[in-house]
């Protein structure tokens, strides 16, 4: 198992975009992984779904714009971006509220995504 | 005299609400502005004025919801609220 | 009015130190006085002068330093918080035989008594964390 | 087995860095290998050599230093996390004209690629924060 | 109001004893205030009530024992120690589970204590 | 192969529980050991084994409750669980 050439890395991003550095740390790690051309999965659940909301304007708090950074994911070859349907539902949000194109997963699919990964980063 | 409560974490709203009295101000800052997505915020008595820090609302894309449930203010407004209330209780 | 502001969080890992910084700027621009700035717990990281911040990010430590210097503010790093986090001044570096110091010159090291004193002598006290 | 351990939290403000430290000690005493220690975000504070810890408290930075040195571990401070928190090595201090450095000699500064590399090459990866 | 000789300082301790430094920071601040001979009130609510539990043995995690430190409060002249009845109730705890002698306050009394203070530290 | 989940915060138990499968181990560490005071912990399927880090339980005075709802282990046991499970998911 050691030194295996390819592994699937799954990132769970569970925190909102600006209050802490969790969201940006997770994103940095996703981008670093993409460079290694691994199988990268990026899942937003819990309050992490707030990172995907439209109309984020972060100039006022002098922070990088998480939404804009996420919009650039395809440029870095990160295509497998998922959002947990239950988390959206619990926050009265739908895909129309989101700026980022993601694949909606039901609970069973979310479970499968995480359990089938070789390594899970859970931030 | 009435009090100013600041709150930066949705999970603290319930604890904070126990101490809100007529004429008090509740200022949502940082991730506390996500309280505008919570039903509990609407259940506060009308005698409590809810404010949101404008920059934090805008960053998070919550403008519409925040407008319905609170008054947006800047840091000058924040300082003003500190002066017009006799004490500040920070929930973080 | 006299304000005292207590900062409990490190810069960058939470938004709180930036909020505190902007609040302090407005306290001054609105014509009020800052009696004391007290950096407690992880908040002492805001006074670390060895920080190197990228051009596209807000340099929080540098901004605190400017605010304190330009307005001649009384800025205290809590001694028990600061020493164990490696935020030490020249005197402590000598006393404990450390090769360098890291506390910005605009701040000084002090005890919790200075926070209690500030709570008693200020009109308003705020905590950011 | 090869383990990689990622530390996300500062010492003293949370219990997590101590848990990570004790876990690492047991990994070694149980006969396993530590492929890499990666200090990320506030976790870089664990590598600050300027810390001065009171006698009645556990000196977390000193214990990490000992563990790394005695077992010749590969310990990396994430560069973007470390620089803005004032945890810099001699080279960075020179480059950015800082008067001193604070990173313990037993660790080095590196990028997130070294964490991804570790994730790929280790049998087990744990995060503490 | 400035330079008033005596103020009442109320401390709300809301976090459990060991996972973060909140509990010890609050205690240090209470002790520092007691030195100034102010009117100090110390209230435990939320997960802060876990600080009062019997049988805490913190040698294993090499931390100061919060329960033992709280037992010494009377030595430092801190007599006004209160616990929120609702927080105990929500955690299925009663006064018998606690090592520290405190005054049980109902919600109205907790409210009164906090609202009547001149300065509130809320950790 | 089954997984090891570690958890250091009671509020994360619900999220974590969504990913627990037959044969998995849940290890409560730091403030996560307060989960033994929660009804939710008892509602996990029997096929999940719940462990507590001994030192964290003892520090918090939770010995009795922890014994009823979990198995106490030390750091050597923690390392052992890492080896006998194919992957570790840390909830913090």
């Amino acid at each position: 198992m050691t030194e295996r050439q390819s592994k699937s890395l799954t990132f769970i991003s569970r925190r909102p975009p600006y209050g802490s550095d969790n969201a940006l740390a997770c994103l940095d790690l996703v981008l670093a992984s993409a460079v290694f051309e691994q199988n990268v999965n990026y899942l937003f659940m819990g309050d992490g779904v707030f990172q995907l909301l439209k109309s984020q304007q972060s100039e006022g708090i002098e922070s990088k714009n998480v939404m804009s950074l996420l919009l650039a994911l395809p440029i870095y070859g990160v295509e497998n971006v998922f959002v947990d349907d239950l988390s959206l539902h619990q926050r009265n949000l739908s895909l129309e509220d989101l700026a980022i194109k993601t694949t909606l997963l039901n609970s069973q699919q979310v479970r499968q995504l995480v359990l089938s990964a070789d390594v899970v980063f859970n931030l | 005299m009435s009090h100013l409560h600041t709150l930066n974490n949705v999970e603290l709203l319930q604890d904070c609400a126990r101490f809100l009295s007529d004429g008090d101000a509740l200022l949502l800052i940082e991730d506390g502005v996500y309280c505008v997505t919570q039903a509990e915020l609407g259940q506060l008595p009308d005698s409590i004025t809810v404010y949101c820090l404008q920059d934090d609302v805008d960053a998070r894309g919550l403008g519409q919801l925040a407008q319905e449930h609170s008054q947006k203010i800047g840091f000058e407004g924040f300082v003003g609220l500190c002066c017009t209330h006799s004490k500040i209780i920070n929930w973080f | 009015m006299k304000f005292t502001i207590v900062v409990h969080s490190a810069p960058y890992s939470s938004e709180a130190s930036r909020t505190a910084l902007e609040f302090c700027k407005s306290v001054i621009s609105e014509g009020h006085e800052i009696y004391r700035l007290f950096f407690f717990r992880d908040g002492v990281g805001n006074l670390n002068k060895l920080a190197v911040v990228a051009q596209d990010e807000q340099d929080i430590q540098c901004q605190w330093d400017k605010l304190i210097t330009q307005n001649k503010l009384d800025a205290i790093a809590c001694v028990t918080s600061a020493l164990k986090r490696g935020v030490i001044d020249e005197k402590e570096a000598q006393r404990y035989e450390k090769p360098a110091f890291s506390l910005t010159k605009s701040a000084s090291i002090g005890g919790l008594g200075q926070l209690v004193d500030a709570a008693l002598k200020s009109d308003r006290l705020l905590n950011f964390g």
Side-chain angles (χ1 to χ4, degrees), chain A, chain B, chain C:
Chain A
M1 188 161 160
T2 304
E3 306 279 347
R4 226 169 80 183
Q5 283 309 303
S6 182
K7 281 190 178 181
S8 65
L9 305 177
T10 291
F11 298 85
I12 312 179
S13 195
R14 296 184 288 111
R15 310 282 185 185
Y18 303 105
S20 74
D21 66 343
N22 285 67
L24 281 171
C26 192
L27 174 58
D28 284 347
L29 212 35
V30 165
L31 296 178
S33 302
V35 172
F36 281 71
E37 292 181 19
Q38 299 299 310
N39 179 9
V40 173
N41 296 306
Y42 200 176
L43 168 68
F44 294 88
M45 68 173 272
D47 286 343
V49 302
F50 287 129
Q51 295 173 45
L52 309 170
L53 278 188
K54 283 179 181 167
S55 315
Q56 296 177 40
Q57 297 179 292
S58 64
E59 304 81 17
I61 60 167
E62 292 165 273
S63 168
K64 291 177 189 169
N65 190 316
V66 172
M67 179 196 71
S68 302
L69 294 171
L70 293 174
L71 278 171
L73 282 173
I75 299 171
Y76 297 95
V78 180
E79 306 282 356
N80 302 329
V81 183
F82 306 99
V83 61
D84 171 41
D85 191 22
L86 179 62
S87 300
L88 283 182
H89 186 75
Q90 286 168 336
R91 287 159 187 76
N92 289 315
L93 297 171
S94 68
L95 283 183
E96 284 157 36
D97 298 306
L98 310 184
I100 316 296
K101 195 172 159 269
T102 58
T103 306
L104 198 63
L105 299 186
N106 66 30
S107 277
Q108 185 52 39
Q109 291 168 316
V110 165
R111 217 177 126 84
Q112 199 47 45
L113 179 75
V114 171
L115 298 185
S116 65
D118 289 311
V119 181
V120 175
F121 283 98
N122 185 9
L123 294 176
Chain B
M1 238 173 117
S2 58
H3 301 138
L4 168 64
H5 294 255
T6 73
L7 188 144
N8 77 349
N9 180 334
V10 173
E11 283 159 14
L12 304 177
L13 181 57
Q14 229 174 353
D15 280 346
C16 171
R18 293 179 62 186
F19 297 95
L20 294 174
S21 302
D22 284 1
D24 281 359
L26 170 61
L27 172 59
L28 306 173
I29 64 173
E30 303 159 15
D31 282 344
V33 300
Y34 288 113
C35 285
V36 301
T37 68
Q38 304 282 308
E40 286 88 334
L41 195 70
Q43 288 156 12
L44 293 178
D46 288 341
S47 58
I48 315 292
T49 315
V50 180
Y51 299 88
C52 268
L53 211 47
Q54 171 107 41
D55 291 341
D56 284 320
V57 166
D58 292 346
R60 289 161 179 82
L62 297 174
Q64 192 88 40
L65 272 171
Q67 198 140 21
E68 288 167 29
H69 297 95
S70 67
Q71 298 181 29
K72 289 199 256 183
I73 60 169
F75 279 97
E76 287 163 26
F78 185 177
V79 173
L81 287 176
C82 292
C83 295
T84 54
H85 295 79
S86 65
K87 185 170 69 198
I88 300 119
I89 304 181
N90 303 107
W91 296 87
F92 62 93
Chain C
M1 278 203 170
K2 287 190 202 178
F3 282 79
T4 285
I5 290 94
V6 191
V7 182
H8 296 254
S9 296
Y12 311 113
S13 50
S14 105
E15 195 188 341
S17 60
R18 186 202 164 269
T19 307
L21 178 64
E22 294 303 318
F23 179 81
C24 289
K25 288 181 189 169
S26 283
V27 165
I28 292 166
S29 68
E30 295 291 293
H32 301 289
E33 182 191 337
I34 292 183
Y35 180 79
R36 186 163 289 154
L37 290 176
F38 195 88
F39 294 86
F40 194 24
R41 306 159 68 199
D42 277 350
V44 297
N46 290 284
L47 302 175
N48 190 327
K49 69 172 171 126
L50 301 180
V52 176
V53 181
Q55 297 255 331
D56 65 342
E57 266 198 280
Q58 190 184 16
D59 189 335
I60 304 266
Q61 291 97 336
C62 177
Q63 287 198 44
W64 276 117
D65 197 44
K66 268 190 195 159
L67 184 83
I68 295 165
T69 307
Q70 287 174 355
N71 299 284
K72 298 190 179 65
L73 302 181
D74 182 21
I76 306 280
C78 169
V79 59
T80 44
S81 305
L83 265 59
K84 64 187 174 190
R85 288 172 177 85
V87 179
I88 58 175
D89 64 7
E90 197 162 4
K91 211 181 76 191
E92 304 288 350
Q94 280 170 2
R95 181 188 307 181
Y96 295 104
E97 301 180 352
K98 290 285 174 179
F101 61 100
S102 50
L103 183 76
T104 176
K105 296 250 186 202
S106 61
S108 51
I109 286 192
L112 281 176
Q114 291 185 269
L115 174 50
V116 179
D117 165 80
L120 299 177
K121 295 198 183 143
S122 304
D123 299 307
R124 298 290 186 272
L125 181 131
L126 286 92
N127 291 270
F128 291 92

